[in-house]
Amino acid sequence: MRNLAKLAAAAGAILLGTSAAWADDIAIGMSGPTSGAEAYFGSTWMNGAELALMEVNKAGGVRGQKLVLVRQDDQGDPKQGTLVAQRFCDDAKMLAVVAHFNSGVTIPASDVYNRCGMPQVTNSSNPKVTAAGYKNLFRPIANDFMQGGLPADYANKVLNAKSAAVVHDKQAFGQGVADVFKDNFGKLGGKITSYSGVSATDVDFSALITKIKGENPEVVYYGGTTPGVALFVKQLRSLGVKSAFFAADPAFLPDFIKTAGPQNAEGALVSFQAPPYDSSPALKGFAEKYKAVWHEDPGSYSAYGYNQAMIIVEAMKRANPLSRENVVAELHKTKYDGLMGPIEFADNGELKQPAIFLYKVAGGEFVLEYPKGSY
Amino acid sequence: MIAAILQQLINALTVGAIYALIALGYTMVYGVLKLINFAHSELFMLGAYVSFFAIALLVGPVGGPFAVVALVVVFFATFALVGSLGVVIERVAYRPLRQSSRLAPMLSALGISIILQNGVMLLIGRKPLVYPSIVEVPPIELAGAVLTAKQLLIFVVAVLLMLLLTWFVHGTRLGIRIRAVSESGITAQLLGINIDTTISSIFFLGPGLGAIAGLLYANYYGVAMFNMGFTVGMKAFTAAILGGIGSIPGAMLGGFLLGLLETVGTALLPVASGGLVGPEYRDIFAFLILIVVLIFRPAGLLGESVSEESLVYKKDF
Amino acid sequence: MTVGPQRERTIPGRAAGLERDAMLGRLRALGGLACLLAAAVLIVPELGLYSVRIADNVLIYLILATALTTVVGYAGLLDLGFIAFYAIGAYSYGLLASGKFDLHLPFLAIILIGGGLAGVAGVLLGIPVLRLRGDYLAIVTLGFGEIVRLMINNLDAVTNGPQGISRIDPPSLFGHALESPRDFFYFLIPLAMLCFALVYRLEKSTLGLAWAAMREDQDAARGVGINTTAIKLAAFGISATLAGFAGVVFCAFQRFVSPESFTFWESLLIVLIIVIGGMGNLLGVLAGAVTLVVMPELLREYSDYRMLLYGCVLVLVILLRPDGLVPRRYGPEWLVRRLGWK
């Protein structure tokens, strides 16, 4: 009986609900995986957003009110994602969210956000995320169509490649971009020698690579996240496959080169949505500031997180009076010149002019390869 | 063609050796306590992390000809540290539950696994560690196939440890005691064997071997992650079941067999099915084989071929 | 399990009065239960949608854990792949009520279809594993669970693979659309009660007694003429059907379904619920479901340390109460007796 009483007390505590923000603060929610396999991506992405809010608060906040980032772990689990979404919705101080990281979480959670009119800025690149046509949902990054399309273009036009082996990690993102690459490369007249799925937690690809070696493709495309992609290219090279290698944006990390080994990563082509960190003073400054605060290099998505938070802040500055409704309205009018170039939204919440860049690993560093001269 | 087959064999043996080493830990614990030790996969992960810091501490500063000596020290230190942790975990989280239902310690092990994984994540960080490459030896070419020094190391160390373990359980007093306890705890106790120390020694050896597997694994692939244990652990456990859980040679056989099955599943399935079934069916293939094996040999391949009745632990749960 | 009323009835003169007492007692008990339920039904929906959504999750896991109790708690067969049946139910709704194949069957029909499909899968799994016992059975069910998840992930043409099925129809019941977490709460309460009552009745039935006999000693059970094959299949089939129901509701609730929701961890979570609560005790299942679903949400305040604390609490609870939070003697009978059922 005492146990039941304790349980009741525990349940009671949650029902009262505690708000993380102080009385006059504005809360911005952020949710993604900060434990489990994608913990590194999720937490560095959030660190980027937190950095943005630190800067804004130092400069006086939004009309004197401080901004607080409320971080929640969704573990990449759709069920937890909807719970977090509801929690954010129920919090009256929460005026916008940057959520979520995985498409599989963003899609069900966006139903919840839509019902409470919450301005939602997402980092999920799956094309289906915006399919519901919610007016409160914004995606300031290029979707998978861009990400998989550019490498196919490059392989065909610049490398003149006629055959490609496509590998993906059987996750929504990895398979999504790999599918786009496969389709585009095929449409351009290329031949797909094999299309294989591995498991996201795999570290040993030697059996698959030995098979691919027999197909002798000119290009190998890998859709997936680190460290899988780094281990893949490492084993690809050590088993003596010399084909050109393409990877998607999770590989845009110094650790990709370190894990694969500089000699193995050399020549690898990685797509990413921002110009090089040293290309613009803004990005260079961001990397330095990030390192000063978090004592490590930014992760693949840190700059995205920073950008997403900044877009919200800009909208909040214009919204008067400050409410979820007005923030949504102002987000539609966004004209923000961010770390990755100008951001404007189309009616469906997608970027008007999504950008994607292809980098090549040369001498242990990422060097902009394609399209050249746009920055 | 021959080169490809040889290469696949090398691939299979490397993965299989790691599975086998981890499977030994599962099987030894299971043999005695009938416990699925979910925490074992995290001890494998800790082996990678402990050795990473031991290398940074010892090998880095020493250098030169002494590096090899330092490496041997790292080896033993990893084994001993993680092994001791295994003993502590048994003492704290499993021993008090020895009289409870069999599910209680299993779920306690699950809790320990969550604690270890998240503890390492918070303490060391979420970023995968890039494992240093200590000795760079050019790979050996074998009839067109590539064999790297690291693969050779994995294979040699794993086989050596398995031979040592076999000698240990058959040729030493403690080993004989372990076998006696695993045969029947009550009888062993009646004959004057101290069950607690015997079980502690199992919880030193099993995790120690798992830790060495973690070291070899991280050294071979070049990364260590806080969540690296889960998948590998589940596969190694499958290997232990496949070979016949509780049987030490069974775990070794199961490990190598699973490595082979996975390689075949990746390389041969797409060819055999004419491209209909891709390598993503590898794990399904492995699990199906496991189920088929268990249906025809309910105690696994090398599980003791005793009558079905002695397999039953009445009032299981 | 007393035979009280019958014994009292043997004294003829007082029988009528005692019967009336018993009736009054029953009424009181029913009234008490109704009050408890009414309290839950009235209070929970007023607590804010976040709490209601948590309550919905508790109820879904309650159905799952109640279902698994028949297999693990009553029949003594450890099933580590139970989530597969939940997945089958969920995908039934995802495929039959979405634009994927442009099928839009009614919700109640899909509940029956999903439950039926899951039940068939349960029996199909049961057949090959009849010979297996103990942990070998556990591993084969684990393998089965993983095979189902991987098949869902691989069969892109049918299930959309890792992309999952989105834009699923909102369910409607007699013309009322179920949309908000509150609607689902009102729907889940009777469904959970139904499963609860069904499983409770099963435990007391001949089938339940046969399960208990098999759990305690399979050979003795066979010796007295119990068809262990049939009752094992019954356990698998019934539990899978209930899990299928839960899966349909889960999918209708999320209006999205993807393989991430059906990992091995979810199977373990359901086993945890019944062990933490108290094996084979339905009140324990309730306590376990509340604890394990609500606790991670309570721990959200500790952000990064959440999962670490979760692990610690888990180990502590198991060490302190290895037989579960609610001891077996405090079963549903105890509650009813406390409420006055003579």
Side-chain angles (χ1 to χ4, degrees), chain A residues 146 149-151 153-154 158 269-276 279 354-360 367-375:
Chain A
M146 299 284 299
L150 184 76
D153 247 29
Y154 179 86
V158 181
L269 293 145
V270 180
S271 51
F272 192 63
Q273 318 207 352
S279 70
I356 196 96
F357 301 85
L358 203 58
Y359 290 80
K360 191 176 196 168
V367 180
L368 184 63
E369 170 75 16
Y370 185 76
K372 270 190 173 130
S374 54
Y375 273 85

Side-chain angles (χ1 to χ4, degrees), chain C residues 45-57:
Chain C
E46 299 307 314
L47 293 169
L49 286 176
Y50 175 50
S51 307
V52 181
R53 203 172 264 276
I54 295 173
D56 290 347
N57 276 312

